[in-house]
Amino acid sequence: MNEVEKYIAQFEPEIKERLIVLRQLFFDVVPGTEESIRYKMPAFTVGKEHLYFAAYKKHIGFYPVYGLTEMEEQLTPFRAKGTKDSLHFPHNKPLPVELIKEIVRLKGKKG
């Protein structure tokens, strides 16, 4: 079990399932994605960019999401209050899988 798998394994089943889905999206969208733990959270290298996620009591945080002006309308509903680069995916709502795929795809292209 690698460090990212250990991170995911510590959560309750419902959250763990969401994290597994999120993690897999990186590999589906950008084959060869490298993963590690940075800043005590899973980090994924897509191109020259790094994207991170972290689980919290009420949501999954997804970082950093800036420089995607072409998607701002889609990102706004998930934007964390007072930030320009953080998204929150509440546990009581489905993961926006297609949105996440597009973020990963675009960040991978920029890198």
Side-chain angles (χ1 to χ4, degrees), residues 1-103:
M1 185 179 295
N2 71 25
E3 293 302 310
V4 173
E5 291 165 334
K6 288 178 187 175
Y7 175 90
I8 291 170
Q10 70 182 317
F11 294 96
E12 58 192 63
E14 297 82 19
I15 295 172
K16 189 184 314 184
E17 183 178 319
R18 293 167 64 81
L19 295 174
I20 290 168
V21 168
L22 182 52
R23 175 183 181 234
Q24 187 58 47
L25 292 176
F26 284 94
F27 300 112
D28 292 348
V29 175
V30 182
T33 294
E34 293 180 21
E35 66 179 355
S36 61
I37 295 289
R38 296 177 65 167
Y39 308 108
K40 298 183 181 178
M41 65 182 113
F44 298 84
T45 305
V46 289
K48 293 182 181 176
E49 300 273 339
H50 286 89
L51 290 169
Y52 307 84
F53 65 72
Y56 300 96
K57 186 175 183 177
K58 295 184 178 186
H59 69 274
I60 294 172
F62 193 71
Y63 325 94
V65 182
Y66 56 80
L68 299 175
T69 54
E70 65 274 26
M71 295 184 66
E72 193 54 42
E73 190 173 314
Q74 295 165 274
L75 299 175
T76 298
F78 300 100
R79 188 77 65 198
K81 288 184 181 182
T83 74
K84 295 179 181 178
D85 66 349
S86 301
L87 302 182
H88 286 176
F89 305 132
H91 294 311
N92 64 354
K93 296 183 179 173
L95 273 177
V97 171
E98 294 306 316
L99 176 67
I100 296 166
K101 284 182 179 179
E102 187 65 7
I103 293 166

